[in-house]
Amino acid sequence: KPYNVLFVIPGYGTGPPMVFVRRQVRSLPQAGVDSHIFYLTSRTAPWVIWTCGKMLRQEIHRLQPDIVHAQYGTMTALTCALVVKKPLVITYRGSDLNPSIGLSWIRSATGKVCSQIAALAARHIICVSSQLRERLWGRKKRVTVIPNGVDTTIFHPRRQQDVRQELGWDLDERIVLFNAGNGATGKRQDLVEGGVE
């Protein structure tokens, strides 16, 4: 029998946010894993979080997953820690444990505390970098460091000249790509600009 995993992801499941997680989940059936997604639609509105917690409990009862995998710390992981009675895995991805620039100190501190408390309930923890592992207050023996994967069907080595011609880019211009998302400050665009200079 294949593993049955329920992934809990913040957001609504549309648009760019957390698209890399959705792609990872879609790739799992090839490895013999039945995977399902539950979206935690709010991490700040108490009533919505409470309602999502009830819905998550119902979804767990319906699907009977072997593992619940919280994709992100903060309120996503804490909601799972409070609701889930199945083995819980949490993946920490960055601002859930790292210092947050651009957020109010209250929101940032609350998110960090939620992440740390949730770790206490996790059967296993994945951190996408060793730096994140070191930011955990405890449970470090339960951590595996696994960087985000790359979809090699989309991204694979090609000759730079061929790709630039295909994109209509100058063959000799220095080009830097930086995915700032909605928060250039939090992603440290200033460091990238300093590096380019």
Side-chain angles (χ1 to χ4, degrees):
K1 171 184 165 223
Y3 268 110
N4 183 5
V5 181
L6 176 61
F7 290 83
V8 181
I9 302 174
Y12 294 93
T14 58
M18 304 299 277
V19 67
F20 54 95
V21 174
R22 296 194 310 266
R23 286 178 180 155
Q24 289 174 5
V25 172
R26 283 196 307 265
S27 73
L28 288 174
Q30 299 168 19
V33 175
D34 288 338
S35 55
H36 310 274
I37 297 176
F38 179 87
Y39 293 102
L40 187 70
T41 57
S42 177
R43 293 178 288 163
T44 56
W47 177 253
V48 177
I49 294 168
W50 184 78
T51 302
C52 282
K54 284 178 57 179
M55 293 170 60
L56 175 58
R57 193 175 284 128
Q58 292 168 355
E59 192 71 349
I60 290 169
H61 180 73
R62 183 181 75 80
L63 294 172
Q64 290 299 308
D66 299 302
I67 297 170
V68 175
H69 191 159
Q71 288 287 330
Y72 202 66
T74 66
M75 191 52 70
T76 302
L78 185 60
T79 300
C80 289
L82 295 173
V83 169
V84 171
K85 304 300 182 214
K86 300 280 184 174
L88 174 63
V89 174
I90 302 172
T91 293
Y92 292 101
R93 299 193 167 278
S95 58
D96 41 12
L97 293 174
N98 281 332
S100 298
I101 298 168
L103 291 178
S104 72
W105 73 268
I106 293 173
R107 184 171 174 192
S108 177
T110 302
K112 306 288 178 287
V113 170
C114 289
S115 294
Q116 298 289 355
I117 292 170
L120 299 174
R123 175 82 56 93
H124 198 77
I125 297 169
I126 298 171
C127 291
V128 298
S129 71
S130 54
Q131 176 192 18
L132 287 176
R133 180 185 183 279
E134 294 310 309
R135 291 194 185 280
L136 281 170
W137 296 340
R139 301 288 191 183
K140 291 181 184 174
K141 290 183 179 177
R142 295 184 180 199
V143 175
T144 302
V145 176
I146 306 175
N148 280 331
V150 175
D151 185 343
T152 56
T153 63
I154 298 172
F155 302 101
H156 49 87
R158 292 179 60 193
R159 285 185 30 182
Q160 184 182 56
Q161 181 178 345
D162 295 342
V163 175
R164 284 185 176 222
Q165 284 178 337
E166 188 177 312
L167 293 171
W169 291 358
D170 185 286
L171 298 180
D172 298 316
E173 183 181 2
R174 181 179 292 174
I175 297 171
V176 176
L177 298 177
F178 175 64
N179 182 5
N182 292 330
T185 306
K187 298 290 185 182
R188 296 303 307 265
Q189 184 172 337
D190 59 320
L191 291 177
V192 175
E193 290 172 350
V196 170
E197 285 180 22

